[in-house]
Amino acid sequence: MGILIQGGKVVSAAGSFQADVLVEGEKIRAVGAALDASGHKVVDASGMLVLPGGIDVHTHLDMPFGGTVSADDYEWGTRAAAIGGTTTVIDFALQSMGHPMAEAFATWRAKSEGKACIDYGLHMAVTDLGPNDAWLDEVDQMVAQGITSFKIFMAYPNVLMVDDRTIYKLMERTAKLGALVCVHAENGTVIDAIVKEALEAGNTGPLYHALTRPTVAEAEAVHRVVAISELAGRASTYIVHVSCEQAMREVEAARKRGLPVMGETCTQYLVLSIDDDMGKPGFEDAKYVFTPPLRQKQNQQPLWEALRADVLQVVSTDHCPFRFSDQKTLGRGNFTKIPNGGPGIENRMQLVYHHGVNAGRISLERFVEITAEAPAKIFGMYPQKGVLAAGSDADILVWDPKAKYTITAATQSMHTDYSIFEGFEVEGNASHVYSRGELVADRGRFVGRVGRGQYLHRGLPGA
Ligand code: URP
Ligand code: ZN
Ligand code: ZN
C-alpha cells in the first residue's frame, strides 16, 4: 500500500499545477492528475501546497564553539527542522588544527549516528592543510566519501581562520575535482584590530559585536576570495551568510564576469535588523550575537531582490543555537566571549514564505527553488532531493498556505530559551512533513523516529 497525497498544488521551480503524488516505500512513484487511489492510503491535500521538503545547507549541530557547545544536538536540531518543513540538512564537520580531516569526519558521523531524524550531509571545514600540504590529498578522500563541499573561514583568527595561501591551495584542488568551497567571508584580521580598539575604549556590551564588524569587512573578503578562486583555476565558490548589500554586490559582480560564484543569505538578515532588533536594555542584545551581525534595515530589500534575481541562490539558517541563560551570558562584560550564533532551523520556511511569497517579493516557485531545489543542485543531491518527481526520495512538505502561527520560544522545539523571531506572526506553515515516505511531523508535532535519518553520500555540485 502506498500513500496518495491527493488534490494539492504541486510546486517546483519550473511551475505549479494541480496533481496527486503517489509514494511507495521511500520513493515517489508518480506525480500526475487524478492518480488511481485504489489500494493506497489517501491524504487529502485539497487547499494545500505540495512542496519538496526544505533543504537547509548551513547548520551547526552539537558544535564546540566559543567555549561551549551549540545547544541542539543532531536529535533536537533535526526534530526542529522537520517540524518546520525541512527534510535535509547539511552540517559542518570542523577539522581541528593539527588533526586530519578524516578525524573530523569520524567525529561528526559519531555525533549524528542514532540521533538524526532526517537525512543529513556534511561539509568539511578545513583549518589546516598539514605539514607540506600533505593533507590536501584528504580532499580527494572526502569527495570519495560524499563530502563534496569544503568550508573555509576568513574570520575567527586563531580559531578557524585560514590564510589566503591555504584558500588558494584548497581551491586549486577543488577546482580540479569539481568540488565546491563555501566561504565565511569577513576580514578577520582587521576585525580583530577594531574589536581590540573597542574593548580598550571600554565598549564591552553585546551591541559592540555588531558595531565592530562593518559591512566593508565582509565585502572586502568576498572580493578577495573571488580573486583567489579565479587565480586557483576558477574554483566553484559559495559565499555563506551574505548579510548586506555591499557583500552581495561583490557576488553580483563576480557572476556578471561569468565566474562560478554563488551565494546564500539567511533568514535573520532578511527579517531582522540592527535598527529594529538591537539596542535593547541590559544584556538582551546578546541574543543577536551571531556572525556576520545584523545589519541596517536598508540591506533587507536588496537581499530579497538578489534572491529574486538569482544573484543569491539559497536561503539557509546558519542555525547555531546557544541558550541565553547559561551560554550567551559567558560574555557578560566582554562581548568577545559571547558564543556566536543564533537559533532558526525551525522557522526558515515560515519566514521566507510569509515575508517572501505573501509579501510579493518572490514567487511561490522561487520560494521552492531557494529553499529546496537550488540547494539540492548546488550541493550534489539533485534529483534525489529537492524535487517531487518519480524516482526522487519521498521528502514531501504538505504546506498549509492559510495556517496562522506566532513564533515563540514557549512552543518551539529548538533547545534555546529564546527566539530571535519572538512574536513574529506568519501565515503559511508546514502541515504534514514526510521524509523518505515516513510521516515525521504532523502540524507542529514531531511524529518520526529518532535515529532514522541517513547520511547523504553527495555527488559533485550540479547547477
Ligand atoms: O555566528 C555564527 N554564525 N556562528 C556559527 C559559525 C559561523 O560563522 O557560521
Ligand atoms: Zn560563518
Ligand atoms: Zn555558520
Side-chain angles (χ1 to χ4, degrees):
M1 181 164 110
I3 303 169
L4 186 70
I5 300 171
Q6 199 174 51
K9 188 199 235 184
V10 172
V11 188
S12 74
S16 314
F17 53 99
Q18 288 300 131
D20 303 337
V21 179
L22 178 60
V23 175
E24 276 181 5
E26 298 192 344
K27 297 283 180 188
I28 295 173
R29 176 66 186 271
V31 180
L35 296 181
D36 184 4
S38 46
H40 301 306
K41 177 181 172 314
V42 173
V43 175
D44 179 11
S46 44
M48 301 283 172
L49 304 174
V50 185
L51 318 175
I55 300 178
D56 188 347
V57 297
H58 189 155
T59 68
H60 300 278
L61 304 176
D62 200 358
M63 185 178 86
F65 200 47
T68 183
V69 178
S70 61
D72 280 324
D73 66 3
Y74 269 77
E75 176 184 342
W76 285 95
T78 56
R79 265 177 190 257
I83 287 169
T86 289
T87 52
T88 303
V89 296
I90 309 185
D91 203 63
F92 292 92
L94 291 192
Q95 181 199 16
S96 301
M97 283 182 190
H99 295 258
M101 294 175 212
E103 195 177 299
F105 182 47
T107 303
W108 258 263
R109 287 302 305 277
K111 284 174 190 282
S112 53
E113 203 61 45
K115 285 193 165 183
C117 304
I118 54 171
D119 294 348
Y120 64 96
L122 290 170
H123 313 277
M124 178 58 62
V126 176
T127 57
D128 191 349
L129 293 179
N132 303 318
D133 298 334
W135 295 340
L136 260 180
D137 288 341
E138 282 205 290
V139 171
D140 307 47
Q141 290 155 25
M142 291 299 125
V143 169
Q145 293 184 84
I147 297 189
T148 53
S149 46
F150 298 82
K151 167 85 174 281
I152 51 108
F153 291 88
M154 300 172 83
Y156 309 128
N158 306 316
V159 185
L160 295 168
M161 191 175 103
V162 291
D163 60 13
D164 293 352
R165 179 190 175 279
T166 302
I167 301 172
Y168 173 74
K169 296 303 289 181
L170 176 68
M171 284 185 158
E172 263 189 335
R173 184 62 66 105
T174 57
K176 282 199 187 99
L177 293 169
L180 185 66
V181 176
C182 303
V183 183
H184 174 133
E186 276 187 311
N187 188 320
T189 316
V190 174
I191 287 171
D192 244 25
I194 301 172
V195 164
K196 195 159 173 283
E197 286 163 11
L199 291 177
E200 281 168 3
N203 296 323
T204 57
L207 181 62
Y208 281 90
H209 172 77
L211 301 182
T212 52
R213 309 186 87 89
T215 54
V216 67
E218 185 179 344
E220 182 278 330
V222 176
H223 187 89
R224 180 161 33 109
V225 80
V226 166
I228 296 171
S229 75
E230 196 172 1
L231 290 166
R234 298 169 69 89
S236 290
T237 305
Y238 177 92
I239 311 294
V240 302
H241 50 42
V242 175
S243 70
C244 57
E245 177 172 9
Q246 215 175 344
M248 178 272 286
R249 294 290 172 216
E250 295 291 342
V251 175
E252 185 179 45
R255 290 175 67 79
K256 277 199 179 133
R257 288 171 52 221
L259 292 170
V261 174
M262 293 158 283
E264 67 173 25
T265 188
C266 305
T267 329
Q268 53 272 30
Y269 305 115
L270 292 167
V271 303
L272 304 178
S273 66
I274 196 166
D275 321 58
D276 288 348
D277 302 285
M278 295 190 80
K280 291 184 176 155
F283 195 60
E284 278 295 287
D285 284 344
K287 294 177 177 174
Y288 304 91
V289 168
F290 37 75
T291 309
L294 287 181
R295 303 302 193 182
Q296 301 293 331
K297 199 175 173 68
Q298 69 206 27
N299 289 280
Q300 290 175 354
Q301 195 49 35
L303 291 177
W304 280 110
E305 177 53 28
L307 285 167
R308 196 197 57 74
D310 201 37
V311 171
L312 299 178
Q313 289 68 44
V314 173
V315 179
S316 70
T317 60
D318 193 7
H319 178 74
C320 188
F322 296 104
R323 290 176 301 278
F324 185 70
S325 57
D326 62 322
Q327 294 187 297
K328 289 288 185 181
T329 44
L330 293 170
R332 265 195 206 281
N334 182 344
F335 69 88
T336 66
K337 304 268 189 276
I338 302 169
N340 285 203
I345 203 167
E346 196 167 336
N347 306 120
R348 179 182 67 127
M349 302 298 277
Q350 301 160 341
L351 287 164
V352 179
Y353 183 84
H354 184 76
H355 290 275
V357 180
N358 289 348
R361 292 176 168 123
I362 52 170
S363 68
L364 184 55
E365 291 75 18
R366 186 65 181 157
F367 168 70
V368 166
E369 192 164 24
I370 63 180
T371 56
E373 191 167 318
K377 287 178 174 166
I378 292 169
F379 290 94
M381 299 180 285
Y382 188 86
Q384 179 188 353
K385 307 284 189 194
V387 65
L388 301 181
S392 296
D393 282 358
D395 289 0
I396 302 171
L397 171 55
V398 180
W399 185 260
D400 183 347
K402 293 281 165 236
K404 292 201 162 91
Y405 182 70
T406 303
I407 298 172
T408 171
T411 57
Q412 75 187 4
S413 181
M414 298 179 291
H415 266 178
T416 47
D417 48 4
Y418 73 97
S419 167
I420 54 177
F421 309 113
E422 185 69 34
F424 271 60
E425 293 176 0
V426 291
E427 187 168 334
N429 204 358
S431 173
H432 290 79
V433 184
Y434 297 85
S435 165
R436 277 182 289 101
E438 224 177 286
L439 186 66
V440 289
D442 182 348
R443 284 160 294 199
R445 208 164 44 90
F446 180 71
V447 295
R449 286 177 297 116
V450 175
R452 59 168 297 287
Q454 292 178 357
Y455 170 71
L456 287 164
H457 193 284
R458 293 184 290 120
L460 287 167

